[in-house]
Amino acid sequence: MEILDAKKIREDFPIYKNTSLMDGHPLAYLDNAATTFKPYKVIDAIRYYYENETSNAHRGDYRLSANVDYKYELARKKVAKFINAKDIEVCFTSGTSMSLNMIAYGLADLLNEGDEILITEAEHASNVLPWFNIAKRHNFVIKYVPLTKDGRLTVENFKKSITKKTKVVSLAHVTNVLGYTVDVKTLAKIAHENGAYFVCDGAQSVPHIKTDVKDLDIDFLAFSGHKMLGPTGIGVLYGKYELLTKINPLLSGGGMTSRFDTCGDITYSMVPYKFEAGTQNIAGAIGLGEACEYLQEIGLDKIYQHEMNLRNYAISKLEKLDNVILYNKDADHGIITFNIKNINSQDIATYMSSKGVCVRSGQHCAKILLDFLQTESTLRCSFYLYNTYEDVDQLVECCINGGDFLDAFFL
Amino acid sequence: MPFSYDANILREIILDHYQNPRNYKQIDSDDFIKIHMDHSDNCTDDIYVYLKVENNVIKECYWYGHACAISTASSSIMTELVVNKTVEEATKIMDEFNKMMKNEEFDESILDEAVCFVNTYRQPSRVGCATISWRGLKEAFEHLKHEGDCDCGK
Ligand SMILES: Cc1ncc(COP(=O)(O)O)c(C=O)c1O
């Protein structure tokens, strides 16, 4: 008995009905770390808002608008429940990148020249560049926790890297290149003992593993709706209430000020509204609320176990192939990073595409690949709840025949 | 594919240039225009195109860097095609190549081995690979046009 009936789950996802084939082969979508498919529950809710109740939130006195207020705030409640936060600690943003920028620019005001920001070389660009930018403007110092030779972050190395000057630690809970899970709870505790804020990039973790912000005791969390069955253009900035009241919003505009005068004195609205300037992605928020509910109905534990089953099955097959190089055999997440010996990753990805298999080729994050994997680029396969063992078989078949990659060019 | 092309032969051309790329070397000389075609998020190709132009004639052309099979073969063929051509002649070849990429009518007589990419238009994601060095060449020509416009950097 399988932990999840992925074939049954596919009935919830219209794409499997509408685009069942790619290039004449069954669609094997294995790029879930990039983005995910959407279930009817999400699509229908967005559609319902546009078709039946379009109006702005926090604006009108009429019933239609009041109803949207209710739906928008209900979505916030659903998201808050999903990560065990208080409603007022959940701010809607456009995605992880925006959330991380808001956190970085917000925290910049609380730091002093010479303060250190601690990250790693395995971070996604979105968790590197905002820190670079504030460091440059305010003379903060970026420091990296050294990774082990296979690219992992350990508690020991973290302890050695944190100093009394460290004011911010910002780490991905699960890294997007190698899919390693970081012991966030322990690291956050150490960060706090040293007087640093702990920022967590949850883009790759929140969709797959149960995230309890209270239990982890993190100060900020950023994640994206589109990687967890929700729409694009919506994401979340979670922050502890006291911290959200302390930091300034990056964006300003309508709906987030309670008062301002011509002298430029501004009184911001309450948290979380002060972080939601302008008309928000109302449909997106509603869709994300539904996605959270859908994932909870199925159960994140089950989803994670299903992904690990697929991963173990895939690894057991790929391991046997002489032409496959595996970079993260022992990762504890549904991301497999690999290459076919002596063949450029994009050549293979295009070949796989001609066989219906969607994987990502590329650098993902140049620094770590160059230093730790000794390769210019890799292939990345990433699972989700609707993936099946047949998807894996299709992938493995492509690896076996990878040497024929030019076939794709002569179809 | 038009019936006049034999897929096996085209495949052999690509394989040959991919496995033994021509004019592949790093150049460090001020006599050359050097164009860096850097990777993007979607493409890890990272190549240099080097061009030595005298009296409007391309005297030498090389390329260097990391690239997929399609970019490698295309860059190799490009350097062979344009050497000893005037800038105008090379531009004409480039124009015909680009027509082929768009599946428009093109003059195959001047494309020589580059016709091995006749199929590329069917895989839009590979057009970028097949054209990377040609785009580098185009940029080099832009530099030529504007040479002497300003003395900056000299
Ligand atoms: C670890 C990590 N952080 C941040 C991001 C950025 O997410 P978004 O593009 O949705 O803002 C991603 C997306 O790939 C990611 O994997």
Side-chain angles (χ1 to χ4, degrees):
Chain A
M1 182 55 196
E2 277 305 320
I3 187 122
L4 271 190
D5 187 350
K7 294 225 170 76
K8 186 103 186 35
I9 283 175
R10 284 187 176 195
E11 290 170 13
D12 296 340
F13 291 78
I15 196 159
Y16 281 111
K17 194 173 87 201
N18 300 332
T19 311
S20 60
L21 300 178
M22 187 173 74
D23 287 30
H25 296 269
L27 179 67
Y29 183 77
L30 298 171
D31 194 16
N32 292 288
T35 199
T36 57
F37 292 161
K38 320 303 170 198
Y40 282 110
K41 185 173 161 65
V42 168
I43 299 167
D44 290 349
I46 295 170
R47 205 186 158 104
Y48 190 85
Y49 163 70
Y50 282 129
E51 289 186 351
N52 299 279
E53 46 194 23
T54 295
S55 56
N56 214 326
H58 314 306
R59 295 288 159 90
D61 294 324
Y62 44 92
R63 195 190 316 281
L64 212 53
S65 171
N67 193 35
V68 166
D69 273 354
Y70 170 74
K71 287 266 184 100
Y72 185 68
E73 292 308 320
L74 183 64
R76 198 190 306 277
K77 280 192 179 37
K78 289 177 182 177
V79 173
K81 185 173 162 219
F82 193 73
I83 56 169
N84 193 28
K86 291 183 217 144
D87 301 352
I88 51 170
E89 295 172 321
V90 168
C91 316
F92 285 118
T93 69
S94 70
T96 308
S97 301
M98 180 170 172
S99 302
L100 288 168
N101 274 277
M102 288 165 68
I103 297 166
Y105 284 88
L107 283 177
D109 297 335
L110 306 184
L111 269 53
N112 297 307
E113 210 173 299
D115 283 351
E116 292 174 3
I117 297 165
L118 194 57
I119 58 175
T120 76
E121 290 179 344
E123 298 306 318
H124 187 277
S126 298
N127 191 27
V128 175
L129 301 182
W131 303 114
F132 275 11
N133 284 335
I134 63 159
K136 207 150 121 198
R137 283 186 196 195
H138 302 282
N139 290 323
F140 307 141
V141 181
I142 307 281
K143 288 269 171 86
Y144 299 89
V145 186
L147 301 172
T148 61
K149 67 177 190 325
D150 49 350
R152 267 186 196 269
L153 170 64
T154 62
V155 174
E156 294 73 55
N157 282 351
F158 182 74
K159 275 187 184 155
K160 280 184 219 154
S161 309
I162 196 162
T163 72
K164 286 292 161 209
K165 285 186 141 182
T166 309
K167 287 289 146 28
V168 178
V169 173
S170 190
L171 299 171
H173 194 167
V174 170
T175 60
N176 62 305
V177 182
L178 291 169
Y180 288 140
T181 308
V182 164
D183 182 357
V184 165
K185 191 171 174 174
T186 305
L187 300 189
K189 186 161 179 282
I190 299 168
H192 290 150
E193 283 163 6
N194 284 272
Y197 298 111
F198 192 94
V199 180
C200 182
D201 174 354
Q204 296 296 349
S205 56
V206 173
H208 304 273
I209 50 181
K210 203 162 177 346
T211 307
D212 179 333
V213 292
K214 290 276 164 335
D215 178 54
L216 296 174
D217 194 24
I218 49 187
D219 298 311
F220 295 97
L221 173 71
F223 58 98
S224 299
H226 69 95
K227 292 185 200 282
M228 50 187 289
L229 313 183
T232 53
I234 189 82
V236 171
L237 154 58
Y238 157 83
K240 283 183 184 161
Y241 178 75
E242 309 78 48
L243 291 173
L244 289 180
T245 56
K246 258 205 244 177
I247 67 171
N248 284 319
L250 175 63
L251 302 180
S252 42
M256 51 84 73
T257 49
S258 50
R259 212 176 304 126
F260 62 92
D261 60 30
T262 45
C263 307
D265 291 330
I266 311 173
T267 317
Y268 290 127
S269 306
M270 299 281 290
V271 166
Y273 306 111
K274 77 170 189 185
F275 296 102
E276 297 178 356
T279 294
Q280 295 295 297
N281 183 354
I282 298 166
I286 293 172
L288 178 56
E290 296 300 304
C292 288
E293 223 171 53
Y294 180 88
L295 288 170
Q296 275 177 324
E297 278 161 15
I298 293 182
L300 278 176
D301 294 340
K302 276 190 185 172
I303 293 172
Y304 176 75
Q305 197 49 55
H306 175 67
E307 291 169 20
M308 287 307 283
N309 289 349
L310 291 175
R311 164 178 239 282
N312 294 337
Y313 176 70
I315 295 280
S316 74
K317 295 226 152 182
L318 294 173
E319 241 176 1
K320 297 203 187 88
L321 304 181
D322 289 338
N323 66 336
V324 172
I325 307 167
L326 290 165
Y327 296 104
N328 63 343
K329 216 151 84 175
D330 59 346
D332 29 29
H333 197 77
I335 289 179
I336 301 178
T337 311
F338 65 107
N339 260 324
I340 306 289
K341 265 182 205 157
N342 301 322
I343 306 181
N344 177 284
S345 63
Q346 201 189 355
D347 288 329
I348 290 291
T350 321
Y351 171 73
M352 289 194 178
S353 162
S354 74
K355 304 286 179 195
V357 177
C358 311
V359 294
R360 167 92 195 260
S361 80
Q363 274 181 317
H364 316 300
C365 172
K367 187 78 178 139
I368 183 171
L369 286 185
L370 291 177
D371 290 3
F372 295 90
L373 310 182
Q374 272 95 46
T375 178
E376 284 296 317
S377 67
T378 62
L379 293 159
R380 182 185 68 186
C381 150
S382 45
F383 299 114
Y384 215 1
L385 68 168
Y386 37 64
N387 287 124
T388 61
Y389 289 88
E390 286 80 3
D391 289 341
V392 177
D393 289 338
Q394 235 172 297
L395 172 84
V396 171
E397 189 66 23
C398 286
C399 291
I400 293 172
N401 300 319
D404 299 331
F405 69 90
L406 273 182
D407 285 356
F409 208 66
F410 289 101
L411 287 173
Chain B
M1 187 180 309
F3 58 85
S4 52
Y5 299 112
D6 177 340
N8 284 328
I9 294 176
L10 301 186
R11 189 191 175 98
E12 283 309 312
I13 299 173
I14 294 184
L15 262 183
D16 177 35
H17 281 270
Y18 164 52
Q19 285 164 350
N20 313 291
R22 324 289 201 273
N23 301 314
Y24 182 78
K25 71 173 170 189
Q26 204 165 5
I27 304 280
D28 188 16
S29 156
D30 288 344
D31 298 340
F32 284 79
I33 301 172
K34 171 170 143 185
I35 302 291
H36 187 189
M37 301 298 286
D38 203 354
H39 55 77
S40 66
D41 268 0
N42 315 318
C43 169
T44 55
D45 291 345
D46 183 0
I47 73 160
Y48 290 86
V49 174
Y50 308 99
L51 207 64
K52 185 169 166 184
V53 180
E54 281 172 14
N55 300 325
N56 201 39
V57 174
I58 301 169
K59 288 290 189 197
E60 292 173 69
C61 183
Y62 303 97
W63 75 283
Y64 185 78
H66 294 279
C68 66
I70 302 303
S71 314
T72 300
S74 185
S75 303
S76 171
I77 292 172
M78 186 277 284
T79 55
E80 288 202 316
L81 275 181
V82 301
V83 84
N84 289 327
K85 301 282 192 311
T86 64
V87 170
E88 290 71 28
E89 287 166 345
T91 304
K92 170 79 181 134
I93 300 173
M94 176 162 56
D95 290 344
E96 295 306 311
F97 188 84
N98 286 334
K99 282 187 208 163
M100 181 171 76
M101 288 294 117
K102 289 186 227 151
N103 195 27
E104 293 168 5
E105 288 278 328
F106 65 94
D107 178 0
E108 59 179 41
S109 69
I110 60 169
L111 283 189
D112 205 344
E113 286 192 317
V115 296
C116 66
F117 297 107
V118 66
N119 247 344
T120 313
Y121 72 91
R122 291 195 201 162
Q123 294 194 336
S125 70
R126 302 319 289 271
V127 170
C129 312
T131 57
I132 185 167
S133 56
W134 291 97
R135 284 179 279 130
L137 184 73
K138 184 161 191 270
E139 185 143 337
F141 289 166
E142 286 301 317
H143 276 267
L144 275 177
K145 267 191 229 159
H146 298 283
E147 228 174 33
D149 277 7
C150 73
D151 289 332
C152 39
K154 283 198 177 153

